[in-house]
Amino acid sequence: MASGGANYRNGTQRNSLKGTTTATDRQLSMNSNPSKAALKNKSLSSVGASSGLRKSSPGSLGGGTAKDDAGVPGRVRVAVRLRPRNAEESVADADFSDCVELQPEFKRLKLRKNNWDTDTYEFDEVLTEFASQKRVYEVVAKPVVESVLDGYNGTVMAYGQTGTGKTYTLGRLGEEDTADRGIIVRAMEDILADVSLESDSVSVSYLQLYMESLQDLLDPTNDNISIVEDPKSGDVSLPGATLVEIRDQQSFLELLQLGEAHRYAANTRLNTESSRSHALLMVHVKRSVKGRELAHSSQNGNSTNMAKSLRPTLVRKGKLVVVDLAGSERIDKSGSEGHTLEEAKSINLSLSALGKCINALAENSAHVPVRDSKLTRLLRDSFGGTARTSLVITIGPSPRHRGETTSTIMFGQRAMKVENMLKLKEEFDYKSLARKLDIQLDKLIMEHERKQKAFEEEIERITTDTQNQISEAERNYADAMEKERLKYQKDYMESIKKLEEKWMMNQHKLGERKDQTASTAEEVAELKKLLSKETSLRKAAEEEVNNLKSQLAQLKMSEASANSESLKLRKMLEDEAYRKEKLEGEISMLQTQLLQLSFEADETRRRLDRGGPGKVPGDLDSLISQVRPQVNDSVNEEKASIANLFEQVGLQKILSLLEAEDADVRIHAVKVVANLAAEESNQQKIVEAGGLTSLLLLLGSSEDETIHRVAAGAIANLAMNETNQELIMSEGGIRLLSITAANAEDPQTLRMVAGAIANLCGNDKLQNKLRGEGGIKALLGMVKCGHPDVLAQVARGIANFAKCESRASAQVIQFSNGTGSKTGRSLLIEDGALPWIVQNANNDASPIRRHIELAVCHLAQHEVNARDMITGGALWELVRISQDCSREDIRTLAHRTLTSSPTFLAELRRLRIDY
Ligand code: ADP
Ligand code: MG
């Protein structure tokens, strides 16, 4: 700002850049009495009793600049400007002197009342007809403009009669001559020179007030703008008015011209002149206070950017109002426009209301009728408010308008008494902070959204990667499994092949051996022939001897039996004789009784014949008939028992021979017993006669293989009956059979023993006992002999046992009375039968195969065996049986068993075998 400002502002220092306000600043209000000002500080409207004549410092209209919220007194400054005589006046008033005389050095104006009397008035500034526009601006408006730039409201107003130069003073654009530029143009120049276009803003509204209607000169369609007052701060605003932001002087000038053109058009439309309306230019200057911001930041050197950005900017909002008032002459005087009185009143309403308000303020009146007009409402801050106000009153020199001039001067004098309380319009710009934060928030939201998206994509990517990895791992695993399976299969096939090769090789070796022996075969054959001849001869001799021996035994036996029979017969004869004797005794007794009775009868008859009644005895015939059948029955019974006795004696005899000293006799006897035992009808008798016990004893005591074979055969036959089975068991049969089997060399002996045990295996009640006594072990021990007949019996035994077990397990399930082994597992498996079972399940010999197939099915029916069967390889046999077995019933049984076992099915699934 111009350094010469001090010249006009009297001690006011520009301090916007320094950002500080000193106490001195406030006290250097040279035009105000400091003590008075201090007293008036609390009342905005009070002007005190200061006189109309004031002592003002030369060249100064500006007062002290206030910075604090409380405000500082700032009286309305008034300058008077005299227009030079115009051409018409020069002619018309040529003979008259001016009605005013100016003494600018004393800031005095002398108003000539008449030729001899003058009144003297003192103003803040007295501007002669020679005062330049520049000087007028600097004296009247510049301090106000500077205040506005500092954040105060400011008013520059021109008051005066039409044609005295109000518009000349305020509104000249100076297009032809720059020196002509008026206050408005110069003020904007200064404002634009001082503000920063980056951080500050300058905007203007341009309005006209005519007959209490406020028109927008920047938008002619907007002709009824309402005035809004903030009830709290008292600030006046025109929200409806067009507000144009000014960036440079040229556009401002164009805007002013546009406004002027609109004003002309509006006035033509309203049939009035611009002198009848008030023109108001409002310049809003909004500045952000950087100095303070910097100072604040430096105090908090460690404050973060965020904290800085959260601090609202301090803004100062100064408003400059330039008012070109309507002509102050009374309308009825000019009268040329033909308005009615009411219209005239309305036209002047605002102006007269302004006069009244100024009067009230000047007189410190309790009531200031601000609300009487729109002009006074608009200017409430300019007079008695917080604005720095400068008023220029314009007067003409002509004595013909002395009255108007006088009233203008009086208006100015009163206005000089109006005291304002200047207040800094400084506030934190929360709105722009909010905007800034909004923008920041939006940025953050966008950033967040982007990050969120990226995060989601990353998650998705990781998920996909992981899924790929998992599926790859699964694939690898499946491949590995498949490879493993194939390898296992291959190994299996290879081992099978090797075994087959081995077998083939063995066969081959066997063949070779045969070939080698072929050469000697003939010799051997010959020798064999001789041997067989010898053997047959020996056998024939042996047979002969045997025959003879048996004949002898038979003879001995018949002799013995004849002896015992004769003894028996003799005894029976004796019994019979005794009975006969007894009967004869009885008969004689009866005969005696009969004789007695006949005698008694004769006696009675004689008594009757003699005429006397007597007792009649029982009938004799009926008595005899009662006795006779009893005699006959007892004879028949004797006959039957005798026949039975004979039979009994024969069997006993045979059985007793089992214990004969002579081995041949024993053999013969055991053969006879065996033959008898083969007949089912004899079995009961043999057992009852103790034959079974004898056979078992023989099995234990004899060392003869034939006896063993035949006895075992007999036991096997007897073992078909359930009662006998129990008896065999109770008499230690299993142990005896086991020993026999262990010592036997003849396959037929083994076959008999195996057959006997196989029969016992079929008894449900004997399962545990049989196993406990080593029955299963004994059976399995016999397989090493390899004879198909033996194997068939072993297989039958195992099948029988397995069948009983499966029945028992079904009952266990049904009744839950565990009677099997502790684990519930098959005793066959427990005793190690499974490998042999698996090995022989597909035996070429069909009896063996059948029994084993059945055994496998029975074992498989009990789920607890499944695991062992799988590991033992029995599952494959079961599968094979279910598919290949030639017997349909076994095939069906195998299939049903397999499909009802969850363990087997799971195993098949695990091995990926579709069943
Ligand atoms: P108002 O606006 O008060 O009605 P104007 O500004 O229109 O008066 O002035 C009326 C006439 O007087 C205009 O022709 C103007 O040029 C002239 N005039 C006013 N003041 C001066 C001045 N100080 N010096 C020269 N001419 C002036
Ligand atoms: Mg004018």
Side-chain angles (χ1 to χ4, degrees):
M1 211 49 220
S3 58
N7 192 25
Y8 309 104
R9 297 179 65 202
N10 294 316
T12 303
Q13 288 182 331
R14 294 302 315 278
N15 51 31
S16 63
L17 289 174
K18 282 194 215 157
T20 55
T21 302
T22 62
T24 327
D25 286 335
R26 270 177 249 132
Q27 308 234 335
L28 283 177
S29 174
M30 70 146 295
N31 288 331
S32 310
N33 180 330
S35 60
K36 263 191 186 171
L39 283 171
K40 290 170 189 168
N41 208 1
K42 283 181 183 138
S43 166
L44 291 181
S45 55
S46 72
V47 178
S50 58
S51 102
L53 291 170
R54 282 169 189 272
K55 194 80 182 166
S56 296
S57 296
S60 172
L61 189 65
T65 307
K67 296 284 169 171
D68 63 356
D69 282 352
V72 292
R75 183 175 53 75
V76 172
R77 305 283 146 180
V78 181
V80 61
R81 186 182 194 185
L82 178 65
R83 171 176 57 74
R85 284 190 176 200
N86 58 28
E88 190 257 332
E89 284 165 339
S90 298
V91 175
D93 300 332
D95 298 334
F96 303 97
S97 58
D98 289 350
C99 69
V100 291
E101 183 193 328
L102 303 182
Q103 293 179 317
E105 62 279 13
F106 301 119
K107 300 189 187 299
R108 279 183 191 158
L109 177 148
K110 287 188 168 181
L111 178 67
R112 221 184 298 277
K113 287 163 83 178
N114 44 51
N115 284 338
W116 59 89
D117 200 6
T118 59
D119 280 333
T120 302
Y121 300 97
E122 199 171 288
F123 285 94
D124 291 308
E125 199 60 54
V126 172
L127 301 160
T128 67
E129 62 267 48
F130 310 109
S132 69
Q133 289 281 69
K134 185 172 192 282
R135 179 169 156 72
V136 172
Y137 168 72
E138 284 175 351
V139 168
V140 175
K142 191 159 185 165
V144 178
V145 169
E146 283 173 353
S147 283
V148 168
L149 284 168
D150 282 347
Y152 296 86
N153 285 345
T155 313
V156 177
M157 190 169 80
Y159 181 96
Q161 191 186 357
T162 301
T164 52
K166 296 184 294 293
T167 306
Y168 182 88
T169 302
L170 296 175
R172 283 299 283 250
L173 298 179
E175 283 165 314
E176 291 127 39
D177 184 355
T178 31
D180 275 355
R181 287 171 300 151
I183 283 174
I184 288 173
V185 175
R186 287 172 196 270
M188 186 55 78
E189 277 171 2
D190 276 359
I191 288 168
L192 288 174
D194 201 52
V195 297
S196 150
L197 289 176
E198 286 95 65
S199 57
D200 306 336
S201 78
V202 180
S203 48
V204 301
S205 301
Y206 197 15
L207 307 137
Q208 171 175 268
L209 180 64
Y210 177 65
M211 284 188 61
E212 294 306 288
S213 150
L214 198 54
Q215 300 153 12
D216 191 343
L217 290 179
L218 301 180
D219 177 9
T221 60
N222 196 5
D223 60 1
N224 194 13
I225 293 165
S226 52
I227 302 162
V228 176
E229 282 145 288
D230 185 328
K232 271 188 197 163
S233 65
D235 281 349
V236 173
S237 61
L238 305 170
T242 307
L243 201 62
V244 178
E245 178 147 10
I246 303 301
R247 311 285 297 174
D248 59 81
Q249 189 67 16
Q250 190 53 42
S251 61
F252 178 62
L253 292 176
E254 282 163 14
L255 198 74
L256 285 180
Q257 282 168 334
L258 179 75
E260 255 343 285
H262 287 152
R263 192 182 186 193
Y264 177 79
N267 289 338
T268 307
R269 194 169 66 244
L270 296 167
N271 191 25
T272 185
E273 287 179 17
S274 60
S275 62
R276 299 283 159 241
S277 66
H278 312 281
L280 295 104
L281 180 80
M282 291 180 177
V283 184
H284 301 266
V285 180
K286 187 173 146 191
R287 317 189 73 183
S288 56
V289 185
K290 287 174 195 156
R292 283 212 181 171
E293 206 172 61
L294 286 170
H296 193 78
S297 303
S298 65
Q299 274 169 24
N300 305 287
N302 56 352
S303 61
T304 62
N305 284 336
M306 192 61 166
K308 271 182 209 163
S309 70
L310 282 174
R311 201 164 43 236
T313 318
L314 192 64
V315 290
R316 288 177 181 166
K317 290 174 173 173
K319 184 172 78 175
L320 175 66
V321 183
V322 183
V323 191
D324 188 352
L325 290 171
S328 62
E329 67 279 358
R330 279 161 49 208
I331 195 158
D332 56 319
K333 189 179 175 186
S334 64
S336 57
E337 287 159 51
H339 291 288
T340 64
L341 188 60
E342 283 308 306
E343 276 174 335
K345 272 186 187 168
S346 180
I347 287 163
N348 265 337
L349 175 69
S350 275
L351 201 60
S352 55
L354 177 65
K356 282 175 194 162
C357 282
I358 300 278
N359 282 348
L361 286 165
E363 286 158 18
N364 204 12
S365 164
H367 177 66
V368 182
V370 173
R371 304 203 57 82
D372 280 5
S373 75
K374 287 199 171 165
L375 183 65
T376 47
R377 283 169 67 198
L378 280 168
L379 295 177
R380 78 179 298 160
D381 196 44
S382 305
F383 294 94
T386 65
R388 176 183 289 277
T389 299
S390 218
L391 172 68
V392 59
I393 56 169
T394 53
I395 52 174
S398 172
R400 284 178 290 150
H401 300 301
R402 185 184 288 117
E404 300 300 341
T405 303
T406 307
S407 84
T408 300
I409 286 167
M410 294 320 291
F411 180 87
Q413 285 292 300
R414 282 193 294 274
M416 277 179 76
K417 291 180 184 172
V418 177
E419 193 79 46
N420 288 357
M421 192 60 70
L422 273 54
K423 266 191 187 163
L424 189 59
K425 304 293 177 182
E426 186 178 61
E427 63 183 38
F428 286 107
D429 190 0
Y430 290 103
K431 271 187 192 166
S432 70
L433 175 68
R435 256 197 314 278
K436 217 157 85 183
L437 289 178
D438 258 1
I439 292 166
Q440 217 167 338
L441 183 67
D442 276 348
K443 266 188 197 163
L444 288 172
I445 286 170
M446 264 153 60
E447 184 67 13
H448 172 75
E449 208 177 3
R450 271 196 291 271
K451 279 184 179 165
Q452 179 79 23
K453 187 80 201 306
F455 176 74
E456 277 166 9
E457 279 169 4
E458 184 66 12
I459 290 284
E460 206 168 305
R461 192 185 62 74
I462 289 169
T463 311
T464 319
D465 281 3
T466 313
Q467 271 167 359
N468 287 344
Q469 278 169 12
I470 288 170
S471 51
E472 201 183 312
E474 277 176 354
R475 258 201 311 280
N476 289 344
Y477 177 72
D479 287 353
M481 277 291 288
E482 184 61 21
K483 263 183 205 162
E484 197 65 17
R485 198 178 67 82
L486 287 173
K487 192 176 156 253
Y488 176 76
Q489 233 171 25
K490 208 176 136 198
D491 286 356
Y492 178 74
M493 296 300 286
E494 269 170 11
S495 55
I496 291 285
K497 217 163 125 188
K498 268 183 197 161
L499 282 171
E500 276 175 357
E501 275 166 8
K502 234 184 215 173
W503 185 78
M504 291 287 280
M505 231 150 73
N506 285 342
Q507 289 293 96
H508 190 64
K509 272 181 192 165
L510 210 65
E512 268 180 358
R513 229 174 278 159
K514 271 182 188 165
D515 287 346
Q516 278 172 6
T517 52
S519 55
T520 56
E522 277 170 27
E523 291 169 42
V524 172
E526 222 162 287
L527 284 171
K528 265 187 181 168
K529 251 183 215 167
L530 285 171
L531 188 67
S532 69
K533 222 182 227 174
E534 285 297 308
T535 312
S536 59
L537 281 171
R538 191 178 57 81
K539 268 190 181 163
E542 271 178 3
E543 246 166 57
E544 192 63 24
V545 170
N546 280 345
N547 264 352
L548 288 169
K549 274 181 184 171
S550 69
Q551 273 172 18
L552 185 70
Q554 256 169 356
L555 281 172
K556 278 183 181 172
M557 249 174 11
S558 54
E559 188 197 324
S561 69
N563 286 343
S564 79
E565 266 172 34
S566 69
L567 275 172
K568 273 211 170 143
L569 284 170
R570 205 170 288 158
K571 197 173 179 283
M572 282 167 76
L573 205 64
E574 278 169 10
D575 283 355
E576 210 57 27
Y578 171 72
R579 269 186 214 168
K580 195 185 154 196
E581 216 172 288
K582 215 172 145 189
L583 283 170
E584 278 171 355
E586 275 175 20
I587 287 166
S588 65
M589 207 165 78
L590 286 169
Q591 276 173 341
T592 313
Q593 281 175 354
L594 186 68
L595 283 172
Q596 181 73 25
L597 284 170
S598 347
F599 173 74
E600 281 174 10
D602 286 344
E603 279 291 297
T604 307
R605 203 179 295 128
R606 248 179 274 136
R607 260 182 238 146
L608 285 171
D609 288 344
R610 275 179 288 182
K615 213 164 101 186
V616 181
D619 186 349
L620 188 68
D621 290 338
S622 68
L623 194 70
I624 290 166
S625 71
Q626 275 176 357
V627 174
R628 211 162 274 151
Q630 278 180 354
V631 176
N632 289 345
D633 272 359
S634 102
V635 172
N636 287 345
E637 213 171 83
E638 289 301 316
K639 271 182 189 165
S641 73
I642 286 164
N644 200 25
L645 193 68
F646 277 114
E647 217 179 288
Q648 291 255 334
V649 168
L651 186 59
Q652 285 293 347
K653 180 82 183 161
I654 296 163
L655 292 176
S656 68
L657 287 174
L658 289 175
E659 286 148 44
E661 287 289 311
D662 192 330
D664 289 336
V665 177
R666 278 205 306 275
I667 290 170
H668 198 72
V670 87
K671 277 184 180 168
V672 171
V673 174
N675 281 329
L676 289 170
E679 291 284 320
E680 206 182 329
S681 54
N682 296 330
Q683 286 176 355
Q684 176 89 14
K685 290 169 200 160
I686 293 169
V687 174
E688 278 170 7
L692 182 55
T693 314
S694 299
L695 285 168
L696 287 168
L697 279 172
L698 199 61
L699 208 57
S701 59
S702 173
E703 284 174 8
D704 188 285
E705 178 110 37
T706 312
I707 288 179
H708 284 172
R709 186 184 72 233
V710 179
I715 292 168
N717 278 333
L718 294 174
M720 289 193 293
N721 174 294
E722 202 180 312
T723 322
N724 298 347
Q725 287 166 355
E726 280 165 26
L727 193 62
I728 293 167
M729 292 299 291
S730 68
E731 297 203 357
I734 288 295
R735 193 181 53 81
L736 292 168
L737 288 166
S738 300
I739 294 166
T740 311
N743 298 327
E745 281 169 13
D746 183 358
Q748 291 310 315
T749 309
L750 291 172
R751 183 170 81 97
M752 294 308 168
V753 174
I757 298 178
N759 283 344
L760 295 172
C761 280
N763 189 318
D764 300 87
K765 290 179 226 157
L766 302 176
Q767 295 252 291
N768 280 320
K769 195 164 195 294
L770 186 133
R771 186 254 181 164
E773 290 179 11
I776 297 167
K777 289 256 161 79
L779 263 184
L780 292 170
M782 283 182 267
V783 302
K784 67 173 178 285
C785 119
H787 195 285
D789 291 348
V790 179
L791 298 187
Q793 290 307 319
V794 172
R796 187 169 68 83
I798 286 172
N800 276 347
F801 199 93
K803 187 166 85 187
C804 288
E805 273 192 333
S806 83
R807 269 208 299 262
S809 79
Q811 280 167 8
V812 167
I813 290 164
Q814 208 177 335
F815 305 115
S816 300
N817 58 342
T819 51
S821 72
K822 263 185 184 173
T823 57
R825 198 162 68 146
S826 165
L827 297 174
L828 290 170
I829 294 174
E830 298 263 304
D831 276 4
L834 199 57
W836 188 79
I837 291 171
V838 172
Q839 210 177 311
N840 288 278
N842 200 13
N843 198 300
D844 286 340
S846 70
I848 302 171
R849 191 170 66 242
R850 285 286 165 267
H851 288 311
I852 297 295
E853 282 174 345
L854 276 169
V856 169
C857 290
H858 290 315
L859 285 175
Q861 275 169 6
H862 193 17
E863 186 72 5
V864 81
N865 297 329
R867 239 328 106 201
D868 290 292
M869 291 186 74
I870 289 166
T871 45
L875 172 59
W876 304 118
E877 295 309 326
L878 190 63
V879 172
R880 183 193 60 73
I881 294 162
S882 74
Q883 289 172 344
D884 298 344
C885 183
S886 59
R887 263 178 61 178
E888 199 193 338
D889 54 344
I890 297 177
R891 207 166 61 226
T892 313
L893 177 65
H895 178 77
R896 207 175 52 228
T897 307
L898 190 58
T899 49
S900 60
S901 162
T903 312
F904 287 146
L905 291 177
E907 177 65 8
L908 291 175
R909 266 200 305 282
R910 192 180 72 77
L911 297 174
R912 294 161 190 241
I913 292 168
D914 284 334
Y915 184 75

